[in-house]
Amino acid sequence: MNKPMLQVNNITKQFPGVKALDRVSIDLYEGEVLCIAGENGAGKSTLIKILSGVFMLDEGEIILNDEKVNIKNPLTAIELGFSVVYQEHRLINNLTVAENIYFGRFPMKRGFVDYRKLNDDAQQILNRLGMNIRASELVSSLGSSQSQMVEIAKALSVGAKIMILDEPSAAITDSELEKLFEIIKDLKSEGQSFIYISHRLKELFEIGDRVAVLKDGKLVGVEKVSDIDTKKIISMMVGRDLGEVYRPKDREIKEEVLRVENLTNDIVHDCSFTVRAGEIVGFSGLVGSGRSELAESVFGYRKRRAGDIFVDGRKVRIRTPKDAIANGMGFITEDRKTTGVILNKSVAVNTTFAILDKLSRAGFVNTREEKVLVDNYIKKLKIKTPSDKQEAQFLSGGNQQKVILAKWLLTESKFLICDEPTKGIDVGTKQEFYNILDDLARQGIAIMLISSELPEIVGLSNRVYVMQEGRIVKELMEDEISEETITTYSMHEME
Amino acid sequence: MKIKNTFMNLIGNNDPASKFNRKKMLTTLSPVIGLVALFILASSLSNVFLTASNLTNVLRQVSVLGFAALGMTIVIITGNIDLSIIGNVSMSTTLVAVLLQNGWDVVPMILVVLLASSTIGLLNGLIISYFKIESFVITMGMQVVCFGLSLFIAGGRTVIVDNLAPFMLNLASNKLGMIPVMFIILLGFYTVFYIFTKKTKMGRYIYALGGNEEVSYVSGVNVTIVRTTAYILSGLMAGVAGIFTFSRSLCGDPAAGSALGMYVVAAVVIGGTKMSGGRGSVLFTIIGILIIGIINNTLNLVGFEYYAQQIIQGLIIIFAVVISSKKRR
């Protein structure tokens, strides 16, 4: 091929505590579909956001048609010809298809919108895409693949030279996907370039010309699709040093504490699993595979449509978190700030919040006893705070997380759900957390560990359940657990 | 240092190591500073202000507002609002008048009035919790319902009571020294509510609900009960305010509550309690009502026209809210 139309050279993007992109270089040719693959947090979405002007890059350069460009904001990105079709729809439901396509760029006539021209122009684009949609239809009456096509029509209408498709297959059916592929191939033959992102590796082989693999913000390699297979891609996506995360797994595993049978809610379907005392059970899967939603339903935080929960072999009724706590469960949620700590309340108030019933006499809180308990946990978990009266908002993320952990240890949880327990926590505190989790398991607590960081799952778990689109697709025993097996099962490669 | 610590204890943060304390203390203290400044200003603007009879009068005037604002403070701490209070005060006042007119004794009358006003709070709490609707909308509707009930109870006119029991006749005029008894009762209520909010389990849940409802729920708290408790207390205090409204006018005016208007919310906010919930203290609402009382009194003494008084009061409320929200960073 000749010269690339787009060159991304050594771009770096730093967020507090993490390098989301580290000297990544990618180029794109005219009429090419470049696929980007990588796990959760590999840097795919950061890359898209830089190209579409949502984030500014810290270092590196972007060269478009031999000219260095500076993508300052979403508007310049559009003017330069970058257009993103996001996985979730960004159309305005109560406007028509034509209005959405030309939103903000309506043709005008004597101060009024020229609706005839608007509809004619939009219809022309829709016809060109071979779509059976009327431009005057309301978007709310469209199906999800049709809305996706409207997004593509919109991207075409602004004269996008590079169209970025972010997980287009997530919201549409297989037959709809085929139609989308046809359109992509048509446009490709007209010289349109695409960046295509998907977790379904199969698709990459169907539609892609080349595939770039990202891992932990770094580019692992770019390969011609015809030269590789899924195995190769997966092996490029995994392979980290486990040394610091690994904990010996010779824990004494005892009787079953939790059994869930056929749990179904609005996101997950028919999930069954068990967790035993002394065991850390990992739950792995892509973002959106339903891990957190499963945990929420076990804890009574999300409505269950079907399924039974057994604690210590007895069937229990769990409809609210209160019921779950009464049955010995604790839940370290994914989002500390919205469901974990009360930011403007003290460490003490947050720590004892779930055991006030035990701590009160005649409705009055026994603050003396409370202080003893809280100080004890501040020492035990090494919570860095000037005192138990400090407001939680002034603590670091790791210490807030410890406060939440202390809360659930005080309720004497025998089953603890940890949803991304080390998210946004510094490296040193992460190590402390791994020790604590290992320790708790060894004390006989049953732990359900949800994490998007594969090394955590591999390094800590006795067993792993892999989830995919709301279903548990595989249970991996200790000797089967590896980044490779987990990735293989979570990436839609097993039929 | 010792005094400072005592003070920090009072406002619920006694951590001398926190570097945010100095700033926080200043923030919390600003209503007090405002009150003192206003007091000095009022004394210099009018030589009647500092007379015993005028000050007694101010305390009497702010008492009814004080009862209503106490309930409002609890609800605002939970992160909600209760606009039904002023309607509830009207309803309670007319109920007092009608029951007394029908020959009821004072004690059963008080019990029935408080039961009725608390029921309004109960309904507010349950409707908001079960249908998960903005408290603003529901309680505004309830306010209209209450005003309607007031008219119904009163038969569409102001109820005049013959042969008033001496207790009711003297409730508003009794004094202990130069302090009206009703203001002392008000302080009693504030003390009890302060201890309730700061020392009890339910008090913690009330603050926590305003701080973060989701955390409360995940931690096993029945948030419906907590919110409804706050609204019942608010309704109860509206009933108390209604009884004292009657004791001051000695008639049952179905529009009596509207005089309180937005002062109820203003008193709470001027006292430093945040509309966003989770922060503040009932004690500071006393400062809020005193500030409003002194402003109104001074404007009267200096002899502003009614329209000018309204404009100035409104601007002061806006000013206070702007100041308090700016400090939230």
Side-chain angles (χ1 to χ4, degrees):
Chain A
M1 266 187 253
N2 38 7
K3 255 173 62 183
M5 66 182 296
L6 171 73
Q7 285 173 283
V8 171
N9 290 335
N10 285 315
I11 59 169
T12 295
K13 177 75 195 174
Q14 179 99 35
F15 290 110
V18 56
K19 249 186 189 161
L21 284 179
D22 189 2
R23 283 167 289 146
V24 169
S25 302
I26 283 174
D27 30 74
L28 179 70
Y29 296 88
E30 207 176 295
E32 179 193 39
V33 177
L34 173 71
C35 296
I36 296 180
E39 289 174 349
N40 299 329
K44 301 181 301 273
S45 44
T46 311
L47 180 64
I48 300 177
K49 284 184 174 150
I50 284 178
L51 291 180
S52 58
V54 179
F55 293 154
M56 289 282 279
L57 45 78
D58 293 341
E59 282 164 45
E61 55 177 12
I62 297 172
I63 294 170
L64 187 66
N65 297 327
D66 296 329
E67 247 177 86
K68 191 175 164 183
V69 293
N70 180 13
I71 308 175
K72 286 180 301 217
N73 52 43
L75 197 64
T76 44
I78 290 169
E79 283 167 1
L80 288 169
F82 292 97
S83 196
V84 185
V85 177
Y86 287 99
Q87 47 182 309
E88 74 273 27
H89 298 303
R90 306 234 167 149
L91 299 175
I92 304 167
N93 266 328
N94 52 0
L95 296 186
T96 67
V97 170
E99 283 168 331
N100 267 288
I101 291 176
Y102 283 101
F103 194 77
R105 301 169 290 127
F106 291 152
M108 304 298 277
K109 200 170 166 188
R110 280 183 242 113
F112 290 96
V113 175
D114 183 351
Y115 271 99
R116 177 166 298 170
K117 183 168 164 41
L118 175 69
N119 284 331
D120 287 350
D121 289 357
Q123 195 65 53
Q124 222 168 7
I125 297 181
L126 294 170
N127 292 344
R128 184 179 150 209
L129 289 174
M131 287 157 72
N132 192 17
I133 302 175
R134 270 184 301 118
S136 53
E137 246 175 292
L138 283 181
V139 162
S140 55
S141 67
L142 301 181
S144 35
S145 74
Q146 288 177 315
S147 329
Q148 191 119 44
M149 304 296 180
V150 173
E151 296 240 29
I152 292 175
K154 183 175 177 173
L156 278 178
S157 78
V158 292
K161 298 190 204 96
I162 297 168
M163 218 179 277
I164 303 169
L165 302 174
D166 184 10
E167 298 242 24
S169 56
I172 62 180
T173 63
D174 286 351
S175 62
E176 290 170 334
L177 185 64
E178 261 169 51
K179 189 143 186 233
L180 176 67
F181 281 173
E182 273 171 38
I183 290 175
I184 292 177
K185 281 172 188 159
D186 275 359
L187 292 172
K188 208 176 100 167
S189 62
E190 292 170 27
Q192 180 78 40
S193 303
F194 291 88
I195 295 177
Y196 188 97
I197 290 162
S198 178
H199 282 303
R200 306 188 184 185
L201 300 185
K202 242 179 18 193
E203 290 169 13
L204 310 189
F205 291 95
E206 252 178 81
I207 194 73
D209 295 309
R210 290 184 306 151
V211 54
V213 179
L214 291 175
K215 181 176 82 180
D216 300 337
K218 292 197 178 78
L219 181 72
V220 184
V222 186
E223 301 282 347
K224 272 209 174 117
V225 166
S226 51
D227 295 348
I228 52 166
D229 56 11
T230 41
K231 254 205 181 127
K232 177 81 199 297
I233 296 182
I234 288 174
S235 74
M236 286 168 84
M237 283 158 65
V238 300
R240 296 175 186 79
D241 185 15
L242 280 189
E244 300 206 312
V245 185
Y246 187 82
R247 295 290 180 278
K249 294 179 179 172
D250 55 338
R251 301 171 190 124
E252 192 189 338
I253 295 170
K254 295 189 190 135
E255 71 287 0
E256 167 192 302
V257 174
L258 180 88
R259 185 164 89 247
V260 172
E261 286 183 358
N262 309 106
L263 192 151
T264 297
N265 63 24
D266 53 335
I267 306 286
V268 306
H269 308 280
D270 213 17
C271 287
S272 302
F273 64 93
T274 59
V275 185
R276 290 170 290 177
E279 184 181 38
I280 296 180
V281 178
F283 280 73
S284 197
L286 301 168
V287 168
S289 59
R291 299 164 305 175
S292 302
E293 289 80 2
L294 177 61
E296 284 168 8
S297 269
V298 171
F299 197 70
Y301 185 55
R302 181 181 284 264
K303 256 216 182 86
R304 217 163 58 232
R305 285 195 188 144
D308 296 315
I309 297 171
F310 299 81
V311 172
D312 294 334
R314 271 188 355 249
K315 188 171 162 180
V316 292
R317 212 181 74 129
I318 291 177
R319 295 177 59 194
T320 60
K322 199 181 169 80
D323 298 335
I325 295 165
N327 280 297
M329 298 190 192
F331 189 6
I332 298 178
T333 56
E334 184 180 359
D335 191 344
R336 278 193 292 281
K337 288 191 168 62
T338 57
T339 48
V341 286
I342 306 170
L343 289 170
N344 63 15
K345 292 287 150 244
S346 69
V347 169
V349 167
N350 273 292
T351 308
T352 59
F353 195 62
I355 56 153
L356 287 183
D357 281 330
K358 282 184 237 166
L359 212 56
S360 308
R361 311 268 173 284
F364 283 82
V365 180
N366 184 341
T367 43
R368 202 165 299 163
E369 199 184 325
E370 177 180 43
K371 186 162 172 46
V372 175
L373 287 176
V374 174
D375 283 345
N376 184 18
Y377 270 101
I378 289 178
K379 220 183 293 163
K380 225 166 57 197
L381 298 177
K382 300 197 192 81
I383 301 174
K384 286 198 195 73
T385 172
S387 91
D388 60 329
K389 297 287 190 293
Q390 178 75 302
E391 285 183 14
Q393 59 182 317
F394 301 126
L395 264 53
S396 70
N399 284 303
Q400 286 176 357
Q401 198 72 309
K402 286 180 180 177
V403 169
I404 300 168
L405 181 63
K407 172 167 82 180
W408 296 120
L409 295 180
L410 276 171
T411 61
E412 290 164 11
S413 306
K414 54 192 176 196
F415 171 66
L416 194 60
I417 305 170
C418 303
D419 191 356
E420 306 282 1
T422 64
K423 191 171 161 187
I425 289 180
D426 67 274
V427 185
T429 317
K430 272 187 179 180
Q431 289 300 322
E432 271 184 70
F433 253 92
Y434 301 147
N435 290 338
I436 293 170
L437 290 181
D438 183 46
D439 222 45
L440 292 175
R442 283 173 195 280
Q443 287 168 32
I445 294 180
I447 295 176
M448 172 177 184
L449 172 68
I450 299 172
S451 175
S452 290
E453 293 193 27
L454 274 185
E456 278 184 13
I457 296 282
V458 176
L460 297 172
S461 309
N462 294 94
R463 270 187 306 136
V464 172
Y465 289 100
V466 183
M467 293 189 69
Q468 197 188 94
E469 295 193 342
R471 291 176 196 278
I472 293 179
V473 291
K474 182 69 184 171
E475 178 185 359
L476 295 169
M477 294 304 160
E478 198 178 315
D479 52 355
E480 302 172 295
I481 299 173
S482 71
E483 284 193 78
E484 222 130 356
T485 49
I486 294 174
T487 308
T488 308
Y489 283 103
S490 49
M491 289 280 177
H492 293 261
E493 288 320 299
M494 306 318 293
E495 307 294 74
Chain B
M1 195 62 188
K2 198 165 183 185
I3 296 171
K4 182 187 155 190
N5 281 347
T6 317
F7 182 76
M8 296 315 292
N9 252 318
L10 192 70
I11 62 171
N13 182 345
N14 47 5
D15 167 27
S18 163
K19 60 182 165 179
F20 300 92
N21 264 357
R22 187 178 296 272
K23 196 175 168 196
K24 188 173 170 187
M25 190 168 77
L26 260 177
T27 310
T28 318
L29 266 180
S30 60
V32 183
I33 298 167
L35 179 63
V36 173
L38 194 63
F39 196 86
I40 295 168
L41 183 70
S43 322
S44 65
L45 282 177
S46 158
N47 43 17
V48 186
F49 179 75
L50 270 183
T51 58
S53 67
N54 184 58
L55 291 179
T56 307
N57 192 27
V58 170
L59 292 184
R60 200 175 277 141
Q61 280 171 352
V62 298
S63 292
V64 169
L65 175 62
F67 289 115
L70 178 54
M72 181 68 94
T73 312
I74 305 284
V75 172
I76 288 184
I77 288 174
T78 67
N80 292 272
I81 198 162
D82 187 356
L83 298 180
S84 72
I85 289 176
I86 60 172
N88 203 344
V89 170
S90 285
M91 187 195 82
S92 305
T93 308
T94 51
L95 198 55
V96 171
V98 168
L99 292 180
L100 288 177
Q101 176 68 3
N102 285 325
W104 284 52
D105 281 334
V106 171
V107 175
M109 176 276 291
I110 289 178
L111 290 180
V112 167
V113 169
L114 295 185
L115 186 71
S117 66
S118 307
T119 305
I120 298 293
L122 174 76
L123 290 175
N124 279 329
L126 292 181
I127 295 172
I128 292 165
S129 298
Y130 279 109
F131 297 104
K132 298 195 165 55
I133 306 174
E134 271 297 306
S135 60
F136 187 90
V137 186
I138 297 297
T139 57
M140 196 158 68
M142 194 59 85
Q143 179 194 101
V144 179
V145 170
C146 284
F147 275 123
L149 284 173
S150 315
L151 283 169
F152 171 71
I153 292 168
R157 64 198 154 77
T158 298
V159 182
I160 312 292
V161 185
D162 321 302
N163 303 322
L164 259 182
F167 175 80
M168 289 308 293
L169 213 50
N170 300 326
L171 190 55
S173 52
N174 278 341
K175 282 189 296 184
L176 206 72
M178 59 168 277
I179 302 177
V181 167
M182 62 193 282
F183 189 74
I184 294 171
I185 296 174
L186 180 79
L187 291 184
F189 268 102
Y190 271 80
T191 311
V192 171
F193 272 68
Y194 174 74
I195 294 170
F196 167 72
T197 51
K198 291 291 184 183
K199 301 289 176 195
T200 68
K201 185 174 71 177
M202 182 53 84
R204 271 210 195 167
Y205 289 156
I206 283 174
Y207 272 96
L209 185 65
N212 189 326
E213 180 169 345
E214 286 306 303
V215 174
S216 299
Y217 182 62
V218 173
S219 302
V221 176
N222 187 329
V223 289
T224 300
I225 290 180
V226 178
R227 190 185 348 254
T228 306
T229 303
Y231 274 102
I232 290 174
L233 290 174
S234 175
L236 180 80
M237 291 320 298
V240 175
I243 294 169
F244 281 99
T245 304
F246 176 86
S247 78
R248 293 205 62 206
S249 62
L250 298 176
C251 63
D253 175 5
S258 40
L260 294 173
M262 287 309 280
Y263 289 136
V264 188
V265 181
V268 179
V269 176
I270 290 173
T273 296
K274 304 290 177 229
M275 295 290 284
S276 49
R279 274 191 196 279
S281 165
V282 295
L283 284 192
F284 280 84
T285 299
I286 299 184
I287 311 286
I289 61 166
L290 287 175
I291 288 178
I292 290 180
I294 292 177
I295 290 172
N296 288 355
N297 180 254
T298 312
L299 292 175
N300 263 325
L301 291 180
V302 177
F304 276 104
E305 296 280 352
Y306 181 66
Y307 71 86
Q309 290 191 22
Q310 293 267 298
I311 294 171
I312 293 170
Q313 285 164 7
L315 290 177
I316 288 171
I317 290 172
I318 292 173
F319 179 70
V321 176
V322 168
I323 295 247
S324 98
S325 61
K326 211 174 180 180
K327 274 175 297 209
R328 280 186 57 220
R329 281 176 300 168

